[in-house]
Amino acid sequence: MTRRFSHDAVLLGAGGSARLGQPKQELTIDGEPLLRRAARLLAETKPTRLFVVLGDRGMATHLDGLNAHIIENPDWPQGLSTSVRSAARAIQSHKTTRPVLFSGVDQCRLQLSHLDALLRAWAGTRDVVTRYDAESYGIPALISRHTLAQADNLTGDRGFGQIWQQGTESPIFVDAPELGFDLDTPAQLAIAIRHGWIDGRRRTATAREDVRIPGLRELKQARVRTKLIAEAMHLFAGRGFEAVTVDEIAAAAGVSRRTLFRYFDTKGDIVFAWASTMTDVLRETMAQAAPDEQPGPAMRRAFTTVIERIAPTTKECLALVRLIEQSPALRVHSLRKYAAWEESIIDAWRDRLPAGDNTHLAASVLARSSIAAFRAALEEWLRCDGRTALAPLLARTFELQRDIFDKELHLVS
């Protein structure tokens, strides 16, 4: 069927794939990198212009011959919203009224038929959105110029969902439950390889027989849980813990109050779950350390990764750290987090440090000194109200710690 309208297309291809441990853009299906495959599928819908947002210009080599306009987004570590805003500005500079077909890289089950279904459902004004299940939806989506004009209001690691949840007119939904599966973690990659959705050997470092791979239902539940945590922490950062209600959190996540209580009994449980995700990030990063990587560099890299995951923007990160570290009601969650970190670091390094009578003691010293440096950097960051970037401040704190213990200091008498 011939369409009676033209459209533009955007591929959101920036991202560091920190949880996955390798660039998802370069995973392949039948030998074709995901980045190129997603761009090719968008190109096959015959858009007037195809834009690809990248955080690493080097990735553009995968797009040779596709006639794609590259948009560089150096701010991608601050969240998905920065890529959406970058694309919106580039499109708006052309001053057209065409709808825009947005898609991502990590939906390995995406087919041309999914994109065509969105285009066929276009009625002229309302966004057309992919619905994964009764409670979650997102890209690929056909976005109206009215919605695109609001992109500058987006913040953090959240996309058009912020606009859809606040709008008076609901989108048109096109059901595609298979697109609810994306590639964020090693376990999800293992599932994709096992089903043949992604190239790779069946048995990998993340799919050993002694590792239980979660099913699709569990992955859906994990996605809802992650969404609830992210929306709650965003609201807490903006308005404070006490001012935010459970109903507001549920509404922001696009689920019912009853669904929220299936995951968390209290708001405090959400904060503890958020703190636990930081422990998971720390543990996963340490597990990726090379066999010959020394403890010092490995711990600095691990804590830097944690910093990147605290919040998508400096402002929100500062508000969350201040909320958690300085609120008496929430400080217990912070202390439990540090205790979990200590245990994780000891477990990660006990078998890697030289064997001997002091192995456990050495692992304990490494854990506690690393956490002390992290906490000192956080306190200094709060003291200077975030005027110095946290990651460089952490690096300087580790250097000071090394100098204090390893070098002869010129003390003031």
Side-chain angles (χ1 to χ4, degrees), residues 60-384:
T61 57
H62 294 304
L63 304 173
D64 290 347
L66 289 180
N67 194 29
H69 301 268
I70 306 302
I71 302 171
E72 292 188 63
N73 175 24
D75 299 323
W76 65 264
Q78 298 179 26
L80 175 65
S81 64
T82 63
S83 289
V84 176
R85 293 200 303 267
S86 296
R89 290 165 187 158
I91 294 168
Q92 288 165 347
S93 68
H94 293 284
K95 302 186 184 303
T96 71
T97 59
R98 290 185 293 268
V100 185
L101 184 59
F102 275 79
S103 192
V105 170
D106 60 355
Q107 290 168 308
C108 58
R109 303 182 71 185
L110 178 68
Q111 301 292 337
L112 180 59
S113 58
H114 294 118
L115 303 176
D116 282 341
L118 295 170
L119 292 166
R120 287 197 302 271
W122 176 251
T125 57
R126 293 163 61 192
D127 298 339
V128 185
V129 179
T130 299
R131 180 164 54 190
Y132 316 134
D133 54 55
E135 297 177 336
S136 56
Y137 48 86
I139 59 173
L142 189 59
I143 304 300
S144 69
R145 285 309 171 107
H146 174 73
T147 299
L148 197 68
Q150 303 175 61
D152 269 344
N153 298 324
L154 300 177
T155 59
D157 199 26
R158 306 189 304 166
F160 291 110
Q162 301 173 64
I163 298 172
W164 294 329
Q165 291 163 10
Q166 297 169 3
T168 56
E169 187 175 52
S170 63
I172 297 171
F173 291 113
V174 174
D175 291 323
E178 62 275 15
L179 296 188
F181 181 90
D182 53 20
L183 295 167
D184 282 328
T185 67
Q188 290 169 325
L189 175 57
I191 289 175
I193 292 174
R194 184 182 67 188
H195 285 283
W197 301 333
I198 289 288
D199 296 340
R201 290 177 297 180
R202 183 181 181 87
R203 182 171 296 181
T204 69
T206 56
R208 301 187 309 270
E209 290 181 358
D210 61 339
V211 177
R212 190 185 72 82
I213 299 175
L216 296 180
R217 177 180 175 82
E218 289 176 83
L219 290 171
K220 173 195 169 184
Q221 292 172 337
R223 187 173 66 246
V224 173
R225 186 174 185 273
T226 299
K227 180 73 170 174
L228 284 166
I229 294 171
E231 297 295 347
M233 299 310 293
H234 176 73
L235 290 171
F236 294 156
R239 295 167 44 204
F241 180 75
E242 298 296 342
V244 176
T245 68
V246 169
D247 288 335
E248 288 172 325
I249 297 170
V255 302
S256 65
R257 175 189 177 95
R258 181 178 178 182
T259 295
L260 184 150
F261 281 122
R262 286 206 298 266
Y263 291 86
F264 303 105
D265 291 331
T266 67
K267 292 190 297 181
D269 289 337
I270 299 177
V271 175
F272 180 66
W274 173 80
S276 296
T277 64
M278 299 299 104
T279 304
D280 293 340
V281 170
L282 186 69
R283 188 182 296 116
E284 290 170 6
T285 308
M286 289 189 296
Q288 294 164 10
D292 59 348
E293 186 172 13
Q294 292 296 305
M299 293 312 306
R300 287 194 291 273
R301 181 172 56 82
F303 280 110
T304 300
T305 303
V306 168
I307 286 173
E308 294 170 352
R309 295 294 303 277
I310 291 176
T313 67
T314 299
K315 180 180 178 181
E316 186 168 332
C317 184
L318 189 65
L320 280 180
V321 170
R322 184 170 284 123
L323 176 74
I324 301 297
E325 297 296 322
Q326 298 184 347
S327 169
L330 297 178
R331 191 164 179 79
V332 63
H333 298 299
S334 181
L335 296 176
R336 290 167 69 184
K337 172 191 67 183
Y338 290 131
W341 286 10
E342 182 178 327
E343 182 179 341
S344 295
I345 295 170
I346 291 173
D347 288 345
W349 286 96
R350 185 165 42 209
D351 295 333
R352 297 185 59 184
L353 294 172
D357 294 340
N358 293 323
T359 300
H360 182 82
L361 176 60
S364 180
V365 170
L366 174 63
R368 295 187 179 188
S369 60
S370 300
I371 292 170
F374 180 84
R375 296 184 68 176
L378 278 187
E379 290 174 5
E380 177 64 14
W381 190 58
L382 291 177
R383 188 189 68 79
C384 68

